[in-house]
Amino acid sequence: MGLDFVGQGAGQTDGNIITTTIDKVVNWGRKNSLWPMPFGTACCAIEMMATLASKFDLSRFGSEAIRFSPRQSDLLIVSGRISIKMMPVLKRIYDQMPDPKWVISMGACASCGGVFDTYTLIQGVDQFIPVDVYIPGCPPRPEDLIDAVLQVQQKITSGASPKGVEVIYE
Amino acid sequence: MNEEKEVEEQSKPLVLEKLETHHSDALLAQDEARGTIVVVVRKDQAYAVLEYLKTDPELAYTYLVDVTAVDNSQMESELMQFDYARFMVVYQLYSYQGQGRVRVKVPVHENDLSITSVTGLWQGANWLERETYDMFGINFDGHPDLRRILMPDDFEGHPLRKDYPLRGRGERERFNFDKQNV
């Protein structure tokens, strides 16, 4: 968790003092309450719904507070095909999310266009928005999405900036 | 002999019988495909035929199921059949009066891509004709709002035409974020 207990045997404190850094505490809070913004455009969204529902229960990892307003969320889950007409909408939603924000590109279509190698389909949303974690699969199983959320959590714990921030300050 | 002929005529679908009586000069061909009656109709009389199919009380094809088109430019045999008309606009109709389905096909030449809109007969034709315009570039005369429906407004070309490359002409790599109303 990144919190260090000190004070054992230090007299009157008796193990009740915790030393840490602000960053660590803030990141600990962030990682355990990621609020996802679902951008479900295809069958991956069905798996995402399953992940959020009782059987797979994403709330075990603190990410059950789905927000349909980008202004209230910090994790964008792109699950499905994105066409050239939809991409500006997705970009707008990404831009509306407050920093720091993370992006999961769920499934083959969002990550690389999948089997839809056609004139209208974006061949990977990472061409236009920064993606932190990719999930392979067509569609990926809910366990894969949970794994991706845990990877985002790991990323936050490690103190690494989201991909979006790196892009801004590069 | 006469009896047999009568039986044969009785088994002929009512819609073909009536079209032959009232619109024989509009009919280019008739066929049956998997149980659906198919009639090919001259373009200048297509609207009249469709109106007749809808308003005739016995036929009453009141439900327009679909409007679409076929690009036959790479089907030599299909092209030759109707005087090298590149496109075939297809109307699927359904009658709740027991007449079932009928498919009306209209050959459209590449040098004159306009055809009369049927939005006056079926309100539902509005979006179907917009889609056909978007994908094939068929112009529907008299349509109240003929603009693209699936592709972005600034898209160029008509992607379901056979000469349109499957992977496009680079639209998916370079398209304008600002131009579109998000």
Side-chain angles (χ1 to χ4, degrees):
Chain A
M1 211 180 280
L3 307 179
D4 310 313
F5 288 85
V6 295
Q8 296 290 347
Q12 63 272 52
T13 56
D14 208 16
N16 290 327
I17 292 179
I18 297 169
T19 61
T20 180
T21 61
I22 291 289
D23 276 357
K24 274 186 181 170
V25 172
V26 167
N27 284 339
W28 175 76
R30 273 178 186 152
K31 107 174 200 210
N32 287 307
S33 73
L34 283 167
W35 286 23
M37 160 80 211
F39 200 87
T41 48
C43 38
C44 280
I46 304 294
E47 299 296 314
M48 180 173 62
M49 289 172 221
T51 315
L52 291 158
S54 56
K55 253 190 181 168
F56 295 95
D57 194 10
L58 198 58
S59 72
R60 291 178 293 161
F61 308 98
S63 302
E64 78 279 17
I66 282 273
R67 291 295 129 159
F68 292 95
S69 163
R71 291 167 201 277
Q72 298 175 354
S73 29
D74 54 2
L75 174 66
L76 177 63
I77 304 177
V78 186
S79 45
R81 301 178 289 274
I82 303 297
S83 67
I84 57 173
K85 203 175 177 182
M86 186 60 94
M87 194 61 225
V89 180
L90 178 61
K91 179 86 164 72
R92 170 70 65 91
I93 283 175
Y94 174 78
D95 289 344
Q96 284 176 339
M97 287 167 63
D99 277 319
K101 52 193 170 186
W102 290 268
V103 180
I104 293 177
S105 167
M106 180 180 182
C109 296
S111 304
C112 68
V115 294
F116 303 100
D117 189 8
T118 63
Y119 55 91
T120 186
L121 216 86
I122 299 294
Q123 303 293 299
V125 291
D126 56 357
Q127 293 173 67
F128 302 101
I129 59 172
V131 173
D132 290 276
V133 177
Y134 300 85
I135 315 176
C138 183
R141 284 200 47 89
E143 291 92 328
D144 294 323
L145 180 56
I146 292 174
D147 181 55
V149 171
L150 291 180
Q151 280 190 43
V152 171
Q153 290 189 357
Q154 262 175 23
K155 226 176 156 171
I156 298 169
T157 314
S158 74
S161 314
K163 257 283 167 52
V165 173
E166 284 166 21
V167 170
I168 293 167
Y169 293 109
E170 237 168 25
Chain B
M1 194 67 189
N2 276 341
E3 272 177 26
E4 263 179 31
K5 206 180 176 188
E6 267 178 33
V7 171
E8 214 171 73
E9 274 184 1
Q10 269 177 2
S11 68
K12 192 166 196 173
L14 184 68
V15 52
L16 289 181
E17 218 169 82
K18 291 202 115 183
L19 280 179
E20 274 170 12
T21 330
H22 293 94
H23 288 280
S24 59
D25 50 339
L27 283 181
L28 290 170
Q30 55 194 51
D31 195 7
E32 196 198 307
R34 295 174 193 261
T36 301
I37 304 153
V38 183
V39 287
V40 184
V41 173
R42 217 180 284 282
K43 190 174 90 172
D44 50 351
Q45 294 180 54
Y47 187 88
V49 170
L50 288 163
E51 188 174 26
Y52 174 75
L53 290 172
K54 189 200 169 188
T55 51
D56 185 86
E58 276 186 294
L59 298 173
Y61 285 99
T62 48
Y63 175 29
L64 178 71
V65 182
D66 196 14
V67 178
T68 185
V70 181
D71 181 357
N72 281 325
S73 58
Q74 287 167 15
M75 289 275 283
E76 190 67 20
S77 57
E78 293 280 329
L79 275 177
M80 279 167 63
Q81 222 175 343
F82 298 104
D83 191 26
Y84 287 89
R86 177 175 172 184
F87 295 101
M88 196 71 101
V89 178
V90 186
Y91 301 84
Q92 307 271 8
L93 306 180
Y94 184 78
S95 164
Y96 286 103
Q97 307 258 322
Q99 297 303 319
R101 292 176 193 280
V102 69
R103 183 178 306 153
V104 179
K105 292 167 122 187
V106 183
V108 173
H109 279 84
E110 200 177 3
N111 47 25
D112 181 16
L113 288 167
S114 59
I115 183 169
T116 311
S117 165
V118 294
T119 42
L121 296 172
W122 293 278
Q123 283 287 308
N126 190 319
W127 282 16
L128 299 171
E129 289 183 343
R130 275 178 67 186
E131 186 190 352
T132 311
Y133 161 74
D134 195 357
M135 293 289 130
F136 293 95
I138 309 282
N139 294 315
F140 291 89
D141 291 341
H143 191 286
D145 183 25
L146 194 63
R147 56 197 167 90
R148 290 185 184 279
I149 187 167
L150 294 174
M151 304 311 294
D153 289 336
D154 59 347
F155 192 83
E156 280 168 25
H158 302 283
L160 279 193
R161 287 187 176 188
K162 290 292 178 198
D163 53 6
Y164 198 89
L166 174 66
R167 292 184 176 86
R169 295 167 178 153
E171 299 90 344
R172 64 189 188 187
E173 282 82 26
R174 44 171 174 78
F175 59 93
N176 201 337
F177 271 111
D178 310 323
K179 235 170 149 183
Q180 302 181 32
N181 296 319
V182 180

